[in-house]
Amino acid sequence: MDPHEFEHDGTRFEVRFERVAEGWICRIHREGGDTAHVMAFPDAIGFDPSDVRQSLIAGCEAAVAVLDQAPPTRH
């Protein structure tokens, strides 16, 4: 699936999607940053299977409003 780009509070983000056996992994990258927020959407939970792309985009854009305030962690 092609990446999705959007803006939130003047900051640009890119979401990269990866299909895995259990569902979808979404990596949300902030423009100019070297970290990503990783979100998982298990099959049949958290997204509409009839419109997967738009459901994943909506979930990631909504999450940025909350995740944007949290400082990144390093592992």
Side-chain angles (χ1 to χ4, degrees):
M1 185 180 309
D2 291 334
H4 171 70
E5 294 182 6
F6 66 98
E7 186 174 315
H8 176 75
D9 287 343
T11 303
R12 302 269 321 145
F13 293 88
E14 179 185 67
V15 181
R16 297 178 192 157
F17 306 98
E18 178 185 355
R19 181 71 169 124
V20 295
E22 299 84 8
W24 288 90
I25 302 293
C26 300
R27 290 176 177 80
I28 305 170
H29 298 268
R30 181 189 315 227
E31 183 178 74
D34 61 351
T35 61
H37 290 288
V38 179
M39 299 187 62
F41 294 88
D43 280 333
I45 301 172
F47 67 90
D48 179 357
S50 68
D51 193 0
V52 174
R53 181 176 172 80
Q54 289 301 357
S55 291
L56 295 174
I57 287 170
C60 290
E61 288 184 3
V64 164
V66 176
L67 296 175
D68 194 34
Q69 303 303 317
T73 59
R74 305 225 186 252
H75 300 283

